[in-house]
């Protein structure tokens, strides 16, 4: 089917990440023949952002992580959206250029959270979000001796793994009593933290950085218990915030990303859809209040869904459901997650190889449940069991009971039931 109508000839996509690429590809696949213009804020072509905390820190070339882009769309790099005139349907870039649209796809993703007053960009002080961030950090790591990682989320733990693989001293600071709390939950995060300690990462968990200042050798981090940490290099991995400052539409809700309906149409604004980490919508997979999903695979699926909704015009579009999936390899641990990890839910944690001192390395499976329904699964060094459970979740569909753990782990031993 060819898609070109008199009222949908010019599509503007704001953002140059995975969601933007997926939206453009889906428009092309569905036969849209109008003009597509992509405003990508970074000066580089689109790339695999997860590589910033992985391969790029250890020598992988930027060209090796680039995403292929559509030949039919007009890709404009270095164009940061500065303002939106939703009434006249115009996006203004920081360059002063203006782009008129019939339909708009917002895929601006998120920006790293940096504490006020932290002079990121000065020698030895880094965030870790873009290719340029990764290349700058990699250069400093080659000559560093002691590195402080502030923030023990998924990105922070991957950075700590690289630091230790380079035989550098690593100190990790986080306000939570375990690592990767949001990504894998508190119980599994505690087991992963134990493995990281065994691998030489010095943990200052349950602590906050009150002050950061220059010192003779690099940086001094004053903690809330009165102690301090000295480091040659500091890596700030304190999470991300949806990039919506430019979205000035009067009636839009930008309190946590862009509030959308179940089909990713931005509420309060005509002819605008959102995709990726910037979209907040009632995920049909869970059927509850609006929320965001900011993983790489989800960005692709949301970009595709946003393009389909856009081409539906004023007709009803299907509700969008995304089952989060992500993974990481660090410190000899294969970490895999499927579904939503909620700290308020009951968690059944199972040990695969009882008796091992390093429980995480021996294999762990954690099922997060609410009302008898498994909403998320975390596996550590349990790829076969994870594949079985993740497949069962996808086949069962939203809000359906999942196969019980003993059915996939015949020699399992229950560690704990938390909830």
């Amino acid at each position: 089917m060819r898609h070109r109508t008199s009222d949908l000839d010019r599509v503007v996509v704001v953002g140059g990440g995975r969601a933007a690429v997926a939206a453009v590809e889906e428009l092309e696949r569905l036969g849209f023949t109008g003009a597509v213009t992509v405003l990508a804020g970074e000066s580089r072509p689109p790339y695999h952002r997860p590589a910033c905390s992985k391969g790029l820190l250890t020598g992988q070339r930027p060209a090796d992580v680039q995403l292929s882009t559509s030949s039919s769309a007009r890709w404009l790099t270095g164009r940061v959206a500065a303002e939106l005139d939703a009434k006249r349907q115009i996006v203004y870039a920081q360059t002063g250029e203006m782009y008129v649209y019939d339909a708009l796809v917002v895929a601006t993703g998120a920006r790293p959270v940096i504490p006020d007053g932290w002079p990121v960009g000065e020698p030895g002080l880094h965030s870790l979000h873009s290719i340029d961030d990764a290349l700058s950090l990699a250069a400093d790591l080659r000559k560093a001796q002691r590195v402080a990682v502030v923030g023990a989320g998924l990105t922070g733990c991957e950075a700590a793994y690289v630091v230790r693989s380079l035989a550098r001293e690593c100190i990790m600071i986080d306000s939570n009593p375990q690592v990767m709390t949001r990504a894998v939950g508190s119980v599994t995060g505690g087991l992963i933290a134990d493995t990281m300690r065994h691998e030489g990462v010095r943990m200052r968990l349950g602590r906050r950085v009150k002050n950061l200042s220059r010192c003779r050798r690099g940086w001094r981090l004053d903690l809330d218990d009165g102690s301090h940490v000295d480091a040659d290099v500091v890596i700030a991995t304190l999470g991300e915030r949806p990039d919506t400052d430019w979205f000035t539409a009067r009636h839009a809700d930008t309190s946590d990303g862009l509030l959308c309906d179940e089909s990713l149409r931005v509420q309060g604004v005509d002819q605008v859809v959102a995709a990726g980490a910037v979209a907040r919508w009632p995920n049909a997979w869970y059927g509850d209040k609006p929320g965001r999903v900011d993983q790489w695979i989800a960005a692709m699926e949301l970009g595709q869904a946003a393009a389909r909704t856009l081409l539906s015009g004023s007709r009803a579009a299907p509700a969008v459901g995304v089952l989060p999936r992500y993974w990481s390899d660090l410190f000899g641990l294969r970490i895999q997650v499927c579904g939503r990890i909620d700290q308020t839910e009951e968690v059944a944690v199972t040990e695969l190889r009882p008796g091992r001192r390093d429980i995480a390395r021996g294999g762990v499976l954690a099922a997060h449940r609410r009302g008898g329904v498994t909403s998320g699964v975390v596996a550590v060094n349990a790829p076969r069991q994870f594949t079985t459970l993740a497949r069962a979740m996808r086949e069962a569909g939203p809000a359906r009971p999942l196969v019980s753990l003993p059915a996939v782990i015949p020699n399992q031993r229950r560690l704990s039931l938390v909830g």
Side-chain angles (χ1 to χ4, degrees):
M1 183 195 308
R2 311 302 288 175
H3 288 272
R4 178 164 181 161
T5 64
S6 59
D7 60 349
L8 189 59
D9 286 340
R10 298 165 297 184
V11 173
V12 171
V13 180
V14 181
R18 190 68 190 92
V21 172
V24 172
E25 291 174 341
E26 189 70 358
L27 288 172
E28 189 173 69
R29 188 187 71 82
L30 294 173
F32 178 69
T33 59
V36 179
T37 302
V38 184
L39 309 181
E42 295 188 47
S43 60
R44 297 177 180 272
Y47 55 88
H48 290 272
R49 195 172 297 277
C52 294
S53 58
K54 298 175 182 176
L56 288 170
L57 294 182
T58 57
Q60 191 175 15
R61 297 180 307 161
D64 296 333
V65 300
Q66 287 185 6
L67 294 170
S68 61
T69 56
S70 167
S71 58
S72 62
R74 182 170 63 133
W75 287 83
L76 302 176
T77 58
R79 302 303 202 281
V80 177
E83 187 178 353
L84 172 69
D85 185 333
K87 185 175 182 179
R88 297 172 61 198
Q89 298 189 175
I90 299 173
V91 175
Y92 294 92
Q94 95 288 2
T95 57
E97 299 164 299
M98 54 184 285
Y99 300 90
V100 181
Y101 64 85
D102 299 316
L104 176 66
V105 180
V106 181
T108 43
R111 293 182 175 181
V113 173
I114 305 297
D116 293 340
W118 284 32
V120 168
E122 288 195 12
L125 180 57
H126 299 268
S127 61
L128 189 50
H129 180 73
S130 68
I131 280 186
D132 291 335
D133 293 339
L135 296 178
S136 175
L137 174 57
D140 271 1
L141 289 178
R142 286 196 289 269
K143 58 182 180 289
Q145 294 299 316
R146 179 182 294 174
V147 179
V149 180
V150 185
L154 182 60
T155 299
C157 288
E158 290 179 338
Y161 173 57
V162 172
V163 171
R164 290 299 298 148
S165 70
L166 296 173
R168 307 304 193 251
E169 185 179 353
C170 182
I171 304 99
M172 175 158 274
I173 305 165
D174 194 275
S175 59
N176 290 299
Q178 64 280 316
V179 303
M180 297 173 64
T181 305
R182 179 170 172 262
V184 302
S186 58
V187 178
T188 310
L191 298 175
I192 294 171
D194 289 341
T195 297
M196 293 176 67
R197 290 188 184 94
H198 295 157
E199 294 295 326
V201 180
R202 291 173 51 196
M203 295 291 188
R204 300 302 306 274
L205 300 179
R207 300 270 67 91
R208 296 180 183 274
V209 177
K210 290 186 64 177
N211 185 59
L212 175 73
S213 58
R214 278 282 197 180
C215 63
R216 186 171 59 86
R217 287 196 55 204
W219 297 93
R220 174 184 169 117
L221 299 91
D222 296 304
L223 307 187
D224 57 0
D225 63 351
S227 65
H228 74 275
V229 171
D230 294 321
D232 307 313
V233 170
V234 177
I235 309 172
T237 58
L238 293 163
E240 297 177 329
R241 182 177 295 115
D243 183 3
T244 58
D245 290 347
W246 65 278
F247 200 90
T248 49
R250 180 179 177 184
H251 299 293
D253 181 344
T254 61
S255 57
D256 179 25
L258 294 177
L259 179 62
C260 304
D261 68 9
E262 65 278 1
S263 302
L264 298 178
R265 292 186 174 99
V266 176
Q267 298 279 28
V269 188
D270 293 331
Q271 297 297 95
V272 182
V273 294
V278 75
R280 175 164 55 99
W281 91 109
N283 190 341
W285 194 271
Y286 298 106
D288 56 6
K289 64 181 181 181
R292 297 188 303 109
V293 181
D294 55 6
Q295 290 86 33
W296 185 250
I297 298 174
M300 178 185 69
E301 295 176 344
L302 288 168
Q304 294 168 343
R308 293 192 293 270
T309 293
L310 183 150
L311 292 183
S312 70
S314 59
R315 302 187 305 274
V320 177
V322 171
L323 181 65
R325 288 102 68 203
Y326 48 98
W327 61 271
S328 184
D329 284 306
L330 48 86
F331 298 106
L333 304 177
R334 173 73 169 182
I335 302 166
Q336 298 169 284
V337 181
C338 179
R340 182 173 61 183
I341 306 305
D342 189 331
Q343 299 302 312
T344 65
E345 295 176 338
E346 177 187 87
V347 185
V349 184
T350 303
E351 182 180 1
L352 271 64
R353 297 174 181 86
R356 289 194 55 155
R357 181 177 178 183
D358 190 333
I359 295 173
R361 191 160 287 167
V364 169
L365 201 69
H368 290 246
R369 297 170 175 168
R370 172 171 291 178
V373 175
T374 298
S375 59
V377 173
V378 181
V380 182
N381 285 2
R384 180 176 59 81
Q385 293 85 354
F386 174 81
T387 299
T388 299
L389 285 168
R391 183 184 298 118
M393 287 184 69
R394 299 195 69 179
E395 291 176 352
R400 299 282 185 85
L402 180 63
V403 61
S404 63
L405 290 180
V408 295
I409 313 175
N411 296 317
Q412 55 88 25
R413 179 169 74 90
R414 178 66 52 82
L415 274 178
S416 60
L417 187 63
V418 181

